[in-house]
Amino acid sequence: KAGVTQTPRYLIKTRGQQVTLSCSPISGHRSVSWYQQTPGQGLQFLFEYFSETQRNKGNFPGRFSGRQFSNSRSEMNVSTLELGDSALYLCASSLSQNLNEQYFGPGTRLTVT
Amino acid sequence: EDKVVQSPLSLVVHEGDTVTLNCSYEVTNFRSLLWYKQEKKAPTFLFMLTSSGIEKKSGRLSSILDKKELSSILNITATQTGDSAIYLCAGRVDNNDMRFGAGTRLTVKP
């Protein structure tokens, strides 16, 4: 069974631009969570989607948004990029929103210049 | 404010040593505590703990939760170089939000 995949793996953007990251969960998994990882702040929860609905949201500004499609694939969008948005963005999938065993994708390394 | 604190932040041991990593948490509406191992990119799941005093084991790794002390430990016996990684613990709360600690960087020398 294929693991969680994320595209693109690396991305360079300039301040003020917007970016869309994609995550395909493990087949059969319906919950997708997004995390931001930086050296300074560590791993932080962004939001969780289940059955195309955002179930939970972390403490991030409204520039960070996402959505989930009927096939459980998820996208994350960041608008008006700031230098501080440079990070590794990880997505994780699980069978349902109540299961804690999550499987992480390889991440997308975003660099904002 | 919810927070998860791990100690030590880094640790260097030699193969065969036993290590104990610590995690303390202060989260409202605590639901469970999770341990992950992060080697290169993505964290991999190790344990989920919900009940106090019940040890979970997987090979040379084991973990236990102490709800009274709001803490958990992760033990690794007979360490190997392949155990070198960052070990993350996270507190999960009722709304499924996760609060991660900064991690413990473990280096196992041959």
Side-chain angles (χ1 to χ4, degrees), chain B residues 58-83:
Chain B
S58 177
R60 296 177 294 102
L61 278 67
S62 64
S63 185
I64 195 163
L65 178 68
D66 186 338
K67 281 188 174 179
K68 186 178 176 183
E69 297 296 326
L70 304 181
S71 66
S72 173
I73 59 170
L74 174 69
N75 280 319
I76 309 175
T77 59
T79 52
Q80 302 170 357
T81 55
D83 295 327

Side-chain angles (χ1 to χ4, degrees), chain A residues 7-100:
Chain A
T7 56
R9 295 292 308 278
Y10 302 91
L11 202 51
I12 299 175
K13 291 283 190 179
T14 56
R15 276 179 298 177
Q17 287 186 312
Q18 75 162 19
V19 66
T20 299
L21 312 181
S22 180
C23 171
S24 292
I26 291 173
S27 178
H29 284 195
R30 295 171 62 194
S31 172
V32 173
S33 298
W34 287 89
Y35 299 86
Q36 181 197 65
Q37 188 171 36
T38 60
Q41 298 295 321
L43 196 58
Q44 297 185 90
F45 172 78
L46 279 157
F47 28 65
E48 178 185 11
Y49 285 87
F50 180 77
S51 292
E52 301 178 63
T53 303
Q54 186 182 90
R55 300 291 175 156
N56 300 293
K57 193 176 194 304
N59 190 26
F60 277 81
R63 300 184 297 106
F64 291 80
S65 63
R67 59 179 176 169
Q68 187 180 34
F69 302 95
S70 58
N71 61 358
S72 294
R73 189 177 70 85
S74 178
E75 287 182 348
M76 190 192 90
N77 187 76
V78 188
S79 61
T80 320
L81 284 166
E82 300 176 0
L83 294 178
D85 297 333
S86 295
L88 179 68
Y89 290 89
L90 293 163
C91 100
S93 77
S94 60
L95 274 172
S96 79
Q97 64 176 143
N98 292 319
L99 284 181
N100 293 286

Side-chain angles (χ1 to χ4, degrees), chain B residues 2-3 13 23 26 37 49 57 63 65 76 81 85 88 95-96 100 105:
Chain B
D2 293 345
K3 62 179 179 180
V13 301
C23 175
E26 290 180 30
K37 177 183 181 182
L49 304 158
K57 284 180 72 77
S63 185
L65 178 68
I76 309 175
T81 55
L88 297 163
N95 68 351
N96 285 338
F100 282 84
R105 181 180 292 279

Side-chain angles (χ1 to χ4, degrees), chain B residues 4-44:
Chain B
V4 176
V5 178
Q6 292 185 244
S7 64
L9 290 181
S10 66
L11 191 56
V12 180
V13 301
H14 287 92
E15 274 191 317
D17 288 349
T18 293
V19 297
T20 298
L21 311 183
N22 301 285
C23 175
S24 65
Y25 62 92
E26 290 180 30
V27 297
T28 53
N29 301 315
F30 174 81
R31 192 173 175 189
S32 59
L33 188 129
L34 296 93
W35 284 95
Y36 292 87
K37 177 183 181 182
Q38 187 170 24
E39 293 178 83
K40 290 181 181 177
K41 288 286 179 67
T44 54

